[in-house]
Amino acid sequence: MPRLTFEPIDSACLLTEVQSARAGAVVLFLGTTREYTDGRRTVSLEYDCYRDMAQQKLEQLQAEACQKWSLVHCAIVHRLGDVDLGEVSVAVAVSAGHREAAFAAGKWLIDTIKEVVPIWKKENWHDGTSEWVHPGISE
Amino acid sequence: MNFEVKLFAGAREIVGKDLVIVSLEAGATVADLRIALGQSIPALRETIEHVKFAVNHDYADDDTCLSPDSEIACIPPVSGG
């Protein structure tokens, strides 16, 4: 089951979760918190979510990916709360019979998570200001 | 009829609350809710054009009818990952 957590994400543990003798390929995607965005410096990030809906959406996406690409295993974890620079904010790990399916499923999962799951990041900028990131809404 | 609407992220910050109560006619839709929120909270007017609404944890179209016992949430553009 996908997880939403305030604790650091252990990516090695995720790999262990999805590895299997039935799989010939494992793909791990890690989203990490970046210091510079378009030349602006970030000091830390904060993540908020609509927890019940986010959990439900992640479960739906996981089930869809498992079915579409016949995955052996699939693990998804997203951080909440304060996340320091360079830390993992989201992790997607999938295993499949062959690499084509594993790469395709991993890419689709992270792309779709970023598009539909109700999670938001707040940039705390180096200049002391901060803002919630809402793509498509100007400041 | 009163409808509770959950707010998150930028919308919550603009309003200063994580829940607002909006008064709408029976049979009101998501489109009616969007208009009412923009009118009752002028600071939200620009943001409200860009948000989606969720009803019972699923994204809802503008013509979705609202029920007072539905869980309604205002979902600004997401930015997880």
Side-chain angles (χ1 to χ4, degrees):
Chain A
M1 187 174 285
R3 298 192 291 278
L4 294 160
T5 178
F6 288 88
E7 304 300 321
I9 293 171
D10 183 343
S11 50
C13 184
L14 273 192
L15 281 176
T16 309
E17 271 180 53
V18 300
Q19 269 177 291
S20 162
R22 289 188 286 134
V26 171
V27 165
L28 171 68
F29 172 83
L30 300 178
T32 58
T33 47
R34 187 174 53 229
E35 183 170 11
Y36 284 92
T37 300
D38 299 330
R40 278 188 95 180
R41 188 175 173 193
T42 300
V43 288
S44 69
L45 289 106
E46 179 185 338
Y47 287 85
D48 182 25
C49 84
Y50 178 13
R51 192 144 192 169
D52 290 347
M53 182 174 168
Q55 181 69 39
Q56 195 173 303
K57 286 282 161 217
L58 288 172
E59 286 172 19
Q60 287 168 0
L61 298 182
Q62 184 186 54
E64 198 175 330
C66 283
Q67 194 195 4
K68 187 169 178 186
W69 286 281
S70 300
L71 300 180
V72 177
H73 293 296
C74 173
I76 304 169
V77 189
H78 203 297
R79 276 287 290 277
L80 299 176
D82 296 325
V83 180
D84 288 335
L85 293 180
E87 288 195 11
V88 177
S89 51
V90 61
V92 174
V94 298
S95 55
H98 299 277
R99 67 185 182 281
E100 290 81 3
F103 275 119
K107 179 173 180 356
W108 179 81
L109 276 167
I110 185 60
D111 288 348
T112 314
I113 287 168
K114 289 177 75 85
E115 196 183 317
V116 305
V117 179
I119 298 176
W120 301 270
K121 71 163 77 77
K122 186 182 197 178
E123 297 266 8
N124 294 314
W125 302 110
H126 186 252
D127 63 9
T129 61
S130 63
E131 70 187 286
W132 288 103
V133 178
H134 293 309
I137 300 186
S138 55
E139 288 173 43
Chain B
M1 203 172 275
N2 285 338
F3 295 83
E4 289 187 354
V5 182
K6 292 175 183 287
L7 301 175
F8 297 93
R12 184 186 59 209
E13 199 160 274
I14 288 169
V15 178
K17 289 189 284 193
D18 56 13
L19 190 74
V20 288
I21 293 169
V22 183
S23 183
L24 296 167
E25 300 287 326
T29 64
V30 165
D32 298 324
L33 171 64
R34 190 187 302 274
I35 293 166
L37 270 173
Q39 285 174 348
S40 61
I41 308 172
L44 261 187
R45 204 163 285 168
E46 196 194 330
T47 302
I48 210 74
E49 298 301 321
H50 301 278
V51 306
K52 292 180 180 174
F53 288 91
V55 176
N56 296 331
H57 306 147
D58 261 322
Y59 289 110
D61 295 332
D62 268 10
D63 55 5
T64 301
C65 280
L66 300 171
S67 149
D69 55 3
S70 301
E71 185 168 316
I72 304 167
C74 167
I75 313 284
V78 302
S79 55

